[in-house]
Amino acid sequence: MACLGTPPIPIEDPADERLADYRDLTDAALRSRREHGGGVFVVEGRVAVRQLLASAYEPLSLLVDDHQVVLAADLVEAARARSATVYVASRGVVAATVGYPLHRGVVAIARRPVPADGRRLVEQVLGPDRPRKRPRLLAVLEGVNDHENLGAIFRNAAGFGVSAVLIDPTCADPLYRRSVRVSVGHVLSVPFARLAPWPDVLAQMRD
């Protein structure tokens, strides 16, 4: 049996500083500064959080409402098994913290990884040592700056067995909350990298 971390911590005040990373989730500009500056990203919803907890990404904490702490007990246990702190609050406190009524009351904070190198990623997915289950198939995106559209592309990429997604400098952040949610967590399972300088790097990728 996995060793569990500390028990869930009750929170009664949305101004509690331990929830700072969960605040103002609807303010895209503020979230971009806070998440990139703090090296974190947000994962919302049961399905996406389950993907996070099964991925190589590091979960830092989980916030659940007092209903979901029972209904999503498997996620709570999985988060604790990975040493993530679990916070529990009423639906009202959760909504006041994140800025809107949270569907199914489950949201997590994870550590943002060092950006992948595009050339190295291509070598990994096209080279002889690539995972056998993944075909030699890449998706290259240019100018996809809508987070939900980007998430939908990742969801389809997972469905069609795409080995990696390569994005240009103008594409939206794949790890932004809405991208992760619309991808149903597949952003966390399909490798991606941002390519630069654009479009010159395309010739190198083609070679």
Side-chain angles (χ1 to χ4, degrees):
M1 180 179 295
C3 180
L4 297 180
T6 58
I9 299 172
I11 301 289
E12 298 182 354
D13 183 358
D16 192 310
E17 278 306 306
R18 289 173 291 186
L19 300 185
D21 285 334
Y22 291 96
R23 291 203 189 97
D24 305 312
L25 296 190
T26 58
D27 189 326
L30 175 61
R31 292 306 308 182
S32 179
R33 293 194 300 272
R34 179 177 293 171
E35 291 179 20
H36 285 275
V40 299
F41 66 98
V42 177
V43 179
E44 176 191 340
R46 282 196 207 174
V47 175
V49 169
R50 185 170 287 109
Q51 291 266 44
L52 167 66
L53 296 173
S55 75
Y57 290 85
E58 180 186 357
L60 299 177
S61 65
L62 180 70
L63 174 61
V64 296
D65 68 36
D66 47 13
H67 291 75
Q68 296 302 319
V69 72
V70 175
L71 297 176
D74 61 323
L75 298 183
V76 172
E77 183 176 340
R80 293 177 63 201
R82 294 198 58 184
S83 301
T85 304
V86 178
Y87 299 111
V88 182
S90 69
R91 288 180 176 177
V93 168
V94 172
T97 300
V98 303
Y100 59 95
L102 189 63
H103 181 58
R104 293 192 174 179
V106 178
V107 61
I109 298 294
R111 190 178 307 281
R112 185 176 287 269
V114 175
D117 179 86
R119 295 173 182 82
R120 184 172 301 172
L121 180 58
V122 169
E123 291 172 357
Q124 290 172 351
V125 301
L126 298 185
D129 296 328
R130 76 187 192 282
R132 291 184 179 181
K133 292 183 179 180
R134 286 195 179 276
R136 294 180 174 178
L137 180 63
L138 301 172
V140 181
L141 311 182
E142 179 179 13
V144 183
N145 49 36
D146 180 274
H147 291 102
E148 295 187 0
N149 288 344
L150 186 62
I153 290 173
F154 269 88
R155 187 175 68 239
N156 283 281
F160 285 104
V162 171
S163 293
V165 174
L166 305 173
I167 60 179
D168 84 328
T170 69
C171 282
D173 177 14
L175 294 180
Y176 183 66
R177 174 182 60 89
R178 292 206 306 271
S179 295
V180 179
R181 186 192 67 211
V182 173
S183 80
V184 200
H186 287 300
V187 162
L188 308 175
S189 62
V190 179
F192 66 89
R194 198 175 291 274
L195 298 179
W198 188 271
D200 298 346
V201 71
L202 288 179
Q204 299 172 28
M205 293 298 103
R206 191 173 292 113
D207 291 339

